[in-house]
Amino acid sequence: MEFSIKSGSPEKQRTACVVVGVFEPRKLSVPGEIIDKAADGYLADILRRGDMEGKTGTSLLLHDVRGILADRVLLVGLGKEKDFREKEYRDAIAAAVRTLNETGAFEAAIYLTELPVRKRDTRWRVRQATLAAFDTLYRFDQLKSKKEEVRRPLRKLTFFVERRGELPGAEEALAQGEAIAAGIALAKDLGNLPGNYCTPAHLAEQALELGRSLPLKVSVLERADMQELGMGSLLSVAAGSHQPPKFIVMEYQGEGATTSPIVLVGKGITFDTGGISIKPSGDMDEMKFDMCGAASVIGTMKSVATMGLPMALVGIVPTTENMPGGGATKPGDVVTSMSGQTIEVLNTDAEGRLILCDALTYAERFDPECVIDIATLTGACVVALGQVASGLLANDDALARELLEAGQSAYDRAWQLPLWDDYQDLLKSNFADMANIGGRYAGTITAACFLSRYTKKYKWAHLDIAGTAWRSGDKKGATGRPVPMLLHFLLERCGRL
Ligand code: BES
Ligand code: MN
Ligand code: ZN
């Protein structure tokens, strides 16, 4: 799909379709009124007859509207004007793109980007419109032998802004939206790809591939390298698998970067059976998504390198399967992490923290500005926050606030949980420095407490995306979250939001 930005009056656009909004009940948005005027009150007539109430999710396609140059007008319901916020805005764009896709129009002039959204500027509206459009058009059909025929003549979308003076900012926001969308799409593709395709070696190959086309330095450590570094915790998770583990490091050094790098660490369990502490079989297929943290790191690196942001960024992805087997780690085994701290593995299904802790220790060598790890870490997080908010825990309040704010602005939100010392006691072990589980209560917090023992030397935040990285049920699939949040955080850090 080709996207562009324009400014100008809706009745004067020579295009296959003009898209304007209608508020409930039956109230035209400003561009709608302009078209109505040019068409001698035709739109108002239609609303009066009750064919379009303006409810969210509804739309109405009109042909041959007189007095204007476009072939069609698409009316999109926006809901009540006083309730029109970020979500309603995104839903309206999504509804428009979905409907346009089913018409014969090959291009469209979208005026929804002129709608006021409280507290949000034109750049935000253009960026979000781009993301919502890509999200709607996303398909994962790599593994279908017969691709579903999408009759898609739609080739070009133009977003309109009110004033010519807004064009340069809007153009930049569009480019950002496209770069972020590319990162999200990559994260979704990797997440959706099943475990027999998406192995640690596949993730490594994808990262190396990015390094060939973008300014990214990518290196992959093998099992022997990890042994040499003393990553006994990570390797204990890989022990039951026939797939060799990989440790992926992606480095981006943007021009004009002045600080040491921000480091992102992503959990890359390409399939989580639970290991010897094996999971129940119901819905176990969803554990192919246990590398969505890794996917979000790789996707974010792609977006940042595509935009050429003036910053230093490192992506670290420890990746392995978690399988039972003759060589697998057993409950009660004690392993030694790269930090030197020993861990009693009481539950082999709490494997995410075991691979992350060594990656977090490895991150020290970059003298990071801050470190953010992203992981589908705990079922407890899904119980606490559902599929709406990611869990956020941090050892630095300013960093936590920045991420919460970025989540709000990206409409990819997180909610902070406490990381108080009182919870640390739950990780006591009789046989090692710590246990890898903390018992029945506060599972998301005790998992973060475990990680906090490896992040003492820098500012650190942890995002638990177990509930947000994918959807279950008939819309099962990866969401690409929290790539939008991370990109908004990074854009804000270099003053580009
Ligand atoms: N990958 C899972 C977490 C998970 C579970 C994500 C369900 C999404 C849905 C993680 O490795 C895990 O198994 N965690 C255990 C930890 C427990 C053994 C302390 C969990 O949450 O049950
Ligand atoms: Mn697990
Ligand atoms: Zn897991």
Side-chain angles (χ1 to χ4, degrees), residues 267 269 272 279 287 290 322 349-352 376-377:
K267 171 178 172 182
I269 296 293
D272 181 13
K279 287 182 179 294
M287 282 302 123
D290 212 16
N322 184 24
D349 197 11
E351 84 297 340
T376 48
L377 206 60

mmCIF file of all heavy atoms in Angstrom, residues 267 269 272 279 287 290 322 349-352 376-377, ligand 3:
data_model
loop_
_atom_site.group_PDB
_atom_site.id
_atom_site.type_symbol
_atom_site.label_atom_id
_atom_site.label_comp_id
_atom_site.label_asym_id
_atom_site.label_seq_id
_atom_site.Cartn_x
_atom_site.Cartn_y
_atom_site.Cartn_z
ATOM 1 N N LYS A 267 12.943 -12.009 25.617
ATOM 2 C CA LYS A 267 12.848 -13.453 25.887
ATOM 3 C C LYS A 267 12.538 -14.194 24.586
ATOM 4 O O LYS A 267 11.524 -13.945 23.945
ATOM 5 C CB LYS A 267 11.748 -13.725 26.920
ATOM 6 C CG LYS A 267 11.414 -15.213 27.111
ATOM 7 C CD LYS A 267 10.346 -15.444 28.177
ATOM 8 C CE LYS A 267 9.890 -16.905 28.218
ATOM 9 N NZ LYS A 267 8.835 -17.160 29.205
ATOM 10 N N ILE A 269 12.071 -17.773 23.955
ATOM 11 C CA ILE A 269 11.755 -19.209 24.057
ATOM 12 C C ILE A 269 10.888 -19.560 22.841
ATOM 13 O O ILE A 269 9.718 -19.158 22.769
ATOM 14 C CB ILE A 269 11.018 -19.522 25.375
ATOM 15 C CG1 ILE A 269 11.922 -19.229 26.587
ATOM 16 C CG2 ILE A 269 10.555 -20.986 25.394
ATOM 17 C CD1 ILE A 269 13.131 -20.136 26.743
ATOM 18 N N ASP A 272 7.722 -23.277 24.562
ATOM 19 C CA ASP A 272 7.805 -23.544 25.999
ATOM 20 C C ASP A 272 6.873 -24.688 26.379
ATOM 21 O O ASP A 272 5.681 -24.498 26.581
ATOM 22 C CB ASP A 272 7.441 -22.264 26.779
ATOM 23 C CG ASP A 272 7.545 -22.468 28.293
ATOM 24 O OD1 ASP A 272 8.121 -23.492 28.711
ATOM 25 O OD2 ASP A 272 7.066 -21.579 29.031
ATOM 26 N N LYS A 279 3.873 -28.595 31.002
ATOM 27 C CA LYS A 279 2.595 -27.880 31.030
ATOM 28 C C LYS A 279 1.450 -28.828 30.679
ATOM 29 O O LYS A 279 1.659 -29.826 29.986
ATOM 30 C CB LYS A 279 2.615 -26.752 29.975
ATOM 31 C CG LYS A 279 3.484 -25.566 30.325
ATOM 32 C CD LYS A 279 3.391 -24.496 29.255
ATOM 33 C CE LYS A 279 4.247 -23.282 29.609
ATOM 34 N NZ LYS A 279 3.769 -22.551 30.799
ATOM 35 N N MET A 287 2.193 -21.627 23.234
ATOM 36 C CA MET A 287 3.547 -21.407 23.744
ATOM 37 C C MET A 287 4.580 -21.231 22.623
ATOM 38 O O MET A 287 5.756 -21.030 22.873
ATOM 39 C CB MET A 287 3.943 -22.524 24.711
ATOM 40 C CG MET A 287 3.292 -22.314 26.083
ATOM 41 S SD MET A 287 3.748 -20.719 26.813
ATOM 42 C CE MET A 287 2.148 -19.971 27.069
ATOM 43 N N ASP A 290 6.039 -17.759 22.889
ATOM 44 C CA ASP A 290 6.880 -17.425 24.034
ATOM 45 C C ASP A 290 8.184 -16.730 23.616
ATOM 46 O O ASP A 290 9.049 -16.467 24.447
ATOM 47 C CB ASP A 290 7.174 -18.689 24.854
ATOM 48 C CG ASP A 290 7.331 -18.412 26.346
ATOM 49 O OD1 ASP A 290 6.917 -17.330 26.792
ATOM 50 O OD2 ASP A 290 7.883 -19.276 27.047
ATOM 51 N N ASN A 322 12.327 -24.752 25.327
ATOM 52 C CA ASN A 322 12.284 -25.340 26.670
ATOM 53 C C ASN A 322 11.594 -26.690 26.551
ATOM 54 O O ASN A 322 10.371 -26.757 26.443
ATOM 55 C CB ASN A 322 11.521 -24.416 27.625
ATOM 56 C CG ASN A 322 11.521 -24.938 29.067
ATOM 57 O OD1 ASN A 322 12.411 -25.703 29.451
ATOM 58 N ND2 ASN A 322 10.526 -24.527 29.839
ATOM 59 N N ASP A 349 9.485 -24.794 34.410
ATOM 60 C CA ASP A 349 8.595 -23.967 33.593
ATOM 61 C C ASP A 349 8.814 -22.470 33.854
ATOM 62 O O ASP A 349 8.305 -21.624 33.131
ATOM 63 C CB ASP A 349 7.136 -24.362 33.863
ATOM 64 C CG ASP A 349 6.190 -23.856 32.779
ATOM 65 O OD1 ASP A 349 6.680 -23.393 31.729
ATOM 66 O OD2 ASP A 349 4.965 -23.930 32.992
ATOM 67 N N ALA A 350 9.559 -22.150 34.902
ATOM 68 C CA ALA A 350 9.917 -20.742 35.121
ATOM 69 C C ALA A 350 11.268 -20.514 34.454
ATOM 70 O O ALA A 350 12.278 -20.200 35.088
ATOM 71 C CB ALA A 350 9.966 -20.426 36.607
ATOM 72 N N GLU A 351 11.271 -20.720 33.108
ATOM 73 C CA GLU A 351 12.518 -20.721 32.340
ATOM 74 C C GLU A 351 12.888 -19.361 31.775
ATOM 75 O O GLU A 351 14.056 -19.098 31.501
ATOM 76 C CB GLU A 351 12.412 -21.738 31.186
ATOM 77 C CG GLU A 351 11.732 -21.227 29.902
ATOM 78 C CD GLU A 351 10.274 -20.837 30.089
ATOM 79 O OE1 GLU A 351 9.663 -21.292 31.075
ATOM 80 O OE2 GLU A 351 9.762 -20.067 29.260
ATOM 81 N N GLY A 352 11.871 -18.502 31.613
ATOM 82 C CA GLY A 352 12.147 -17.197 30.997
ATOM 83 C C GLY A 352 13.179 -16.423 31.788
ATOM 84 O O GLY A 352 14.166 -15.915 31.242
ATOM 85 N N THR A 376 7.300 -12.599 27.698
ATOM 86 C CA THR A 376 6.036 -13.273 28.023
ATOM 87 C C THR A 376 6.324 -14.125 29.254
ATOM 88 O O THR A 376 6.458 -15.330 29.163
ATOM 89 C CB THR A 376 5.615 -14.175 26.850
ATOM 90 O OG1 THR A 376 6.767 -14.961 26.458
ATOM 91 C CG2 THR A 376 5.161 -13.368 25.649
ATOM 92 N N LEU A 377 6.421 -13.446 30.396
ATOM 93 C CA LEU A 377 7.064 -14.102 31.536
ATOM 94 C C LEU A 377 6.144 -14.896 32.452
ATOM 95 O O LEU A 377 6.498 -15.979 32.898
ATOM 96 C CB LEU A 377 7.854 -13.071 32.357
ATOM 97 C CG LEU A 377 9.019 -13.666 33.154
ATOM 98 C CD1 LEU A 377 10.035 -14.329 32.227
ATOM 99 C CD2 LEU A 377 9.707 -12.616 34.004
HETATM 100 ZN ZN ZN B 3 7.913 -19.316 29.049
#
